[in-house]
Amino acid sequence: MKIAEIEQHLESIKNQALIDLGVPAEQAQEIALADAPNPEMGDRGFPTFALARVLRKGPPMIAQEITQKLSESLASDELIAEVIAAGPYVNFKLNPAKLAQIIIEQAQQETDQIGKGFIKDPTHWMIEYSAPNTNKPQHLGHVRNDLLGESVAQVLDFAGNKVTRVNLINDRGIHICKSMLMYQMFGDGQTPESTGKKGDHFVGYYYVMFGQKFDEEYNVWKQGDEAQTLLSQWLESEAGQKAAKEITDTGKLHNTFFKTYKDTYFNTQSTLGHLTRSMLVAWEDNDADVRALWETMNQWVFDGFDETYKRLGVAFDKVYYESDTYILGKGIVEQGLKDGIFHTIDGGAIACDLEKIGLSGDKILQRSNGTSVYMTQDLGTALKRFEEHDIDSMAYVVGDEQRHHFQVLFGILALLKPELEGKMHHISYGMVELPKGLGRMKTREGTTVDADDLMSAMFEEALTEVKERYPDLDEDEQHARAEAIGMASLKFFILYFNRTTTVHFDPKEAIDFKGKTGPYIMYAYARIQSIARELGGWPELPESADLIKICSALGTKQELDLLNRLRAWPHSLEVVTRDLDPSKIAGFAYDLASDFSTMYNHKGHKIKDMDGDRRTAQLLLCRATGNLLETALKILGIEVLEQM
RNA sequence: GCGCUCGUAGCUCAGUUGGAUAGAGCAACCGCCUUCUAAGCGGUCGGUCGCAGGUUCGAAUCCUGCCGGGCGUGCCA
């Protein structure tokens, strides 16, 4: 028997008992099993309220009757020790020895992949995440995306699916030209090598520079006649009058105008804007010099990203570049227009009426000048992926501010290809908010937390701790441990939040290794390994019948709690796979580590002082716990340390 | 304006899709190292689950309305 079958066993007993009472099978299944609040009441049970009306009896009486019948029929069931009527609830008390035997055997066989491949009908998923721009280094927001994407991929893979991980790099467009232009003007032949900078940071420096130079230019222009004329016109306009009512301060009011006008200025009057756009045109015309510069600078960024991804433990099976995909989708839009799915609007743009997909408004898919919008290439790219890869589902890990975009994308795709209905998924997540004072985490621009800085800060903090504890340890080993601990801390901190939760990133909290953290869980694992080291290794796994006998030596509250936690793993896995939310793995791993630590510290649980069956059973139980901790942490991308 | 989303302990978050006495971590305070690793364990303090109604045997969870925060609502990417 496997751990997952325990729940199935209870489930079928419950269903049959209810059906025997005359409850329709469907209703029987709807009554869910849940953990009993305390061990005296049993381990797992179900309420009988819903049956009261049908059976015309009070819930406690129904529970009594069911309990009585089950007690008789399950008398020889080796897994169920007792059926208990607790008021209106029917609870099963499991036989700890049998439970331990099932768990220990599976844990020993499957080591660090306990419960892998449980899904009934595996499919092929393509999952896209990260999707960075090549004009600046990655920051905390990307870190959440990267870690979440990687972990969701692990979850899908662990369930038994085939998973193809893809990245889509945004390597073209006006924003990329901004850093290129600055480098062309002020780069002076410098390179990442010559400056000793990481490639993405090197390029990011020029992107930031563009912002500064453009602001300078804009500020000068603001003082000129043209700007002042436009300002007066705006102040007299409807919008200006409206704003004036809300904003009394003249300086602020003027600023409001100049803020909204900034884009227009960039697109019409600005010298830098003009140069940037010319560069984009040159790029699109395949101008040799511009293309060469583009390739050089992109390569610098890719090299930088590779380092970041490697350290984060993120890897992709396929990388798409927007410079290749941005043309996609045009033909589809034209075909859709012919088929009457889309329509033209004033000025000649092609649009989709969103009422067709239950939303409102028109979504432009081709501008009146014939060019594409972002949605167009997303449509094209998605269809191409389904054509070129034998995939069943496509998932995008993107922030929840783009929910609407994906609703539209999926809706239009289903209009074009009805067979794609239900196969598209937006794995959305909340933003990462930063506190005002960032302390040591603050970065060059001051507004974001840089991914590389963050990882280094975590590493340094961990190194201090490691050196304090193990001053004599070989330096390489110190560094290896600090890296593992620092990254575990970061990953756990990011992943233990629900996907949809807005993370309030507090560096002090993130960098802490105590309490509900990654290192806490690793520590529990390391302690388990140290038990084996100190007590002469793990015992041989006995035959099942013997194992049950040996495990009957277990029975303290702490041991039972731990066993019940281990038992719940398959259920947690199912929930995680259904919701595609690794935070529940993080929660489980923490609870498991916590149950173990409680037992470990509770008096009467020192294995060194035990002998006979109790000692063997405890050792095997601890080993199983260690295996499951490793299994869970792996899904989160966290590696364990044998010693820490 | 409309749409989505969130509001749980001083702070940061869980809460098994409607069940049993609402839980953790941090912070504060009190204890536990002659050691199977104190990155740990135990304890104390801390709650009108935003507010008001409704549905239900039963609501932090579902519905309605208010209050408050975030996001979205481009011929931007």
Side-chain angles (χ1 to χ4, degrees):
Chain A
M1 200 182 216
K2 293 232 177 180
I3 303 169
E5 292 169 55
I6 297 171
E7 182 81 353
Q8 288 162 16
H9 186 55
L10 298 179
E11 187 73 27
S12 67
I13 290 170
K14 178 207 70 185
N15 289 341
Q16 194 54 52
L18 295 174
I19 289 167
D20 288 348
L21 278 176
V23 178
E26 217 170 281
Q27 196 190 347
Q29 275 183 8
E30 267 174 32
I31 298 174
L33 289 168
D35 287 337
N38 69 61
E40 293 92 71
M41 296 180 180
D43 295 315
R44 212 153 161 80
F46 60 94
T48 58
F49 300 104
L51 312 172
R53 191 165 295 170
V54 198
L55 302 177
R56 306 186 136 272
K57 279 181 202 160
M61 191 179 283
I62 299 170
Q64 277 290 350
E65 284 175 22
I66 296 176
T67 301
Q68 201 148 29
K69 273 192 208 165
L70 287 180
S71 295
E72 284 165 28
S73 63
L74 296 173
S76 59
D77 189 297
E78 58 174 347
L79 181 62
I80 297 165
E82 201 184 342
V83 188
I84 303 167
Y89 290 86
V90 177
N91 291 332
F92 299 105
K93 178 101 190 138
L94 302 175
N95 172 9
K98 178 67 185 169
L99 186 57
Q101 175 245 323
I102 295 167
I103 291 166
I104 288 167
E105 281 181 351
Q106 189 177 346
Q108 195 117 324
Q109 278 160 19
E110 302 182 1
T111 59
D112 59 349
Q113 301 198 321
I114 300 168
K116 190 175 167 127
F118 64 89
I119 210 170
K120 306 124 253 148
D121 30 29
T123 55
H124 184 180
W125 285 71
M126 180 175 278
I127 174 166
E128 178 193 291
Y129 53 105
S130 198
N133 289 342
T134 52
N135 54 2
K136 50 177 184 273
Q138 301 197 220
H139 57 71
L140 186 51
H142 296 103
V143 172
R144 188 173 193 191
N145 186 304
D146 293 340
L147 294 179
L148 185 63
E150 182 62 31
S151 190
V152 169
Q154 293 279 357
V155 165
L156 286 167
D157 177 80
F158 196 88
N161 296 296
K162 185 176 175 193
V163 180
T164 300
R165 293 151 215 241
V166 302
N167 194 358
L168 172 61
I169 295 186
N170 191 330
D171 63 340
R172 64 161 286 281
I174 198 84
H175 53 295
I176 306 294
C177 292
K178 289 178 182 174
S179 41
M180 286 165 63
L181 181 68
M182 284 299 112
Y183 182 75
Q184 203 178 52
M185 292 169 75
F186 306 103
D188 199 21
Q190 301 266 40
T191 64
E193 290 76 30
S194 74
T195 55
K197 275 183 156 185
K198 193 159 162 284
D200 48 342
H201 290 275
F202 181 82
V203 171
Y205 168 79
Y206 290 99
Y207 186 71
V208 172
M209 183 192 277
F210 182 92
Q212 289 162 352
K213 298 279 180 198
F214 179 68
D215 280 346
E216 282 168 24
E217 187 196 291
Y218 192 45
N219 284 333
V220 170
W221 176 82
K222 276 185 201 168
Q223 312 303 322
D225 294 343
E226 190 186 16
Q228 293 303 319
T229 310
L230 286 164
L231 175 61
S232 336
Q233 281 171 7
W234 179 77
L235 285 170
E236 282 161 31
S237 75
E238 211 174 300
Q241 298 283 334
K242 199 181 157 200
K245 273 184 200 156
E246 287 164 23
I247 305 161
T248 45
D249 185 281
T250 316
K252 277 186 187 163
L253 182 62
H254 291 187
N255 253 341
T256 308
F257 167 71
F258 284 120
K259 237 185 220 169
T260 54
Y261 193 75
K262 203 169 175 179
D263 273 356
T264 314
Y265 172 77
F266 176 86
N267 287 321
T268 51
Q269 293 106 320
S270 167
T271 312
L272 285 173
H274 176 75
L275 289 170
T276 312
R277 283 193 311 280
S278 306
M279 190 172 246
L280 184 59
V281 171
W283 182 89
E284 281 173 358
D285 287 347
N286 269 315
D287 178 279
D289 288 345
V290 171
R291 284 280 175 156
L293 176 63
W294 175 71
E295 287 192 10
T296 305
M297 290 182 73
N298 270 354
Q299 195 53 52
W300 289 337
V301 175
F302 298 154
D303 292 344
F305 283 174
D306 282 349
E307 250 180 75
T308 305
Y309 284 140
K310 200 175 169 201
R311 196 169 183 188
L312 275 172
V314 168
F316 300 97
D317 299 305
K318 183 168 171 62
V319 178
Y320 290 88
Y321 298 92
E322 222 181 275
S323 49
D324 297 325
T325 63
Y326 82 108
I327 320 158
L328 293 174
K330 276 202 129 172
I332 296 157
V333 170
E334 275 152 25
Q335 186 60 43
L337 181 65
K338 254 185 237 165
D339 296 344
I341 300 172
F342 306 137
H343 62 279
T344 49
I345 57 171
D346 297 345
I350 302 175
C352 177
D353 180 3
L354 296 185
E355 291 213 3
K356 288 180 178 173
I357 57 170
L359 300 167
S360 59
D362 273 341
K363 174 67 200 175
I364 303 293
L365 297 172
Q366 192 181 99
R367 297 190 190 96
S368 41
N369 66 8
T371 56
S372 297
V373 295
Y374 202 74
M375 185 63 77
T376 319
Q377 61 166 296
D378 264 9
L379 286 168
T381 307
L383 290 175
K384 190 165 176 242
R385 285 174 180 173
F386 274 95
E387 273 163 31
E388 291 181 353
H389 297 84
D390 186 24
I391 56 173
D392 303 299
S393 298
M394 176 71 227
Y396 300 82
V397 179
V398 180
D400 57 16
E401 70 274 10
Q402 292 204 42
R403 269 179 115 104
H404 185 253
H405 173 84
F406 283 103
Q407 265 180 3
V408 173
L409 174 65
F410 298 168
I412 296 178
L413 274 172
L415 281 181
L416 295 167
K417 299 261 176 191
E419 65 270 26
L420 294 184
E421 180 91 52
K423 294 184 171 181
M424 311 294 293
H425 306 268
H426 176 201
I427 300 174
S428 65
Y429 59 93
M431 333 202 351
V432 183
E433 273 185 9
L434 302 172
K436 280 156 264 163
L438 274 170
R440 78 176 86 190
M441 296 270 184
K442 80 162 186 285
T443 56
R444 38 219 113 218
E445 292 112 281
T447 49
T448 56
V449 171
D450 178 80
D452 298 311
D453 288 356
L454 178 59
M455 289 190 281
S456 296
M458 301 299 287
F459 166 78
E460 291 298 336
E461 196 72 18
L463 188 60
T464 311
E465 298 277 331
V466 170
K467 280 189 167 163
E468 206 179 295
R469 275 160 238 257
Y470 303 98
D472 301 329
L473 200 64
D474 172 69
E475 194 172 307
D476 286 350
E477 180 62 19
Q478 282 178 338
H479 280 234
R481 287 191 195 180
E483 180 69 11
I485 292 166
M487 290 308 296
S489 193
L490 174 62
K491 288 178 181 181
F492 189 86
F493 184 81
I494 295 290
L495 291 173
Y496 94 86
F497 292 93
N498 265 342
R499 240 176 50 201
T500 47
T501 304
T502 302
V503 171
H504 292 90
F505 185 82
D506 179 357
K508 279 203 294 291
E509 213 176 301
I511 215 158
D512 199 356
F513 301 142
K514 294 185 169 72
K516 201 167 188 169
T517 65
Y520 172 91
I521 303 167
M522 296 169 81
Y523 188 68
Y525 177 87
R527 270 177 155 179
I528 290 170
Q529 306 318 310
S530 117
I531 291 172
R533 275 195 303 273
E534 295 296 317
L535 303 186
W538 300 114
E540 288 278 313
L541 185 70
E543 293 297 312
S544 294
D546 293 334
L547 184 54
I548 295 183
K549 249 181 260 162
I550 289 165
C551 287
S552 61
L554 298 171
T556 67
K557 182 184 186 301
Q558 290 72 27
E559 288 161 350
L560 297 186
D561 284 348
L562 182 57
L563 281 170
N564 265 320
R565 183 74 62 193
L566 291 159
R567 187 211 74 217
W569 170 242
H571 186 247
S572 292
L573 266 182
E574 267 179 48
V575 172
V576 169
T577 307
R578 182 194 66 201
D579 297 347
L580 297 180
D581 185 358
S583 69
K584 279 151 189 144
I585 299 270
F588 181 91
Y590 172 76
D591 289 339
L592 180 59
S594 173
D595 285 335
F596 168 77
S597 300
T598 299
M599 182 181 83
Y600 180 89
N601 281 287
H602 200 85
K603 64 175 190 296
H605 289 80
K606 192 169 279 187
I607 302 177
K608 202 167 71 172
D609 300 339
M610 296 176 188
D611 53 17
D613 285 352
R614 178 100 197 283
R615 183 185 175 101
T616 310
Q618 262 283 345
L619 283 167
L620 291 169
L621 176 60
C622 288
R623 188 180 191 183
T625 304
N627 286 352
L628 189 46
L629 284 173
E630 188 177 5
T631 300
L633 288 177
K634 263 196 174 175
I635 299 177
L636 301 176
I638 296 174
E639 51 168 313
V640 293
L641 291 174
E642 299 301 302
Q643 260 181 305
M644 69 182 275

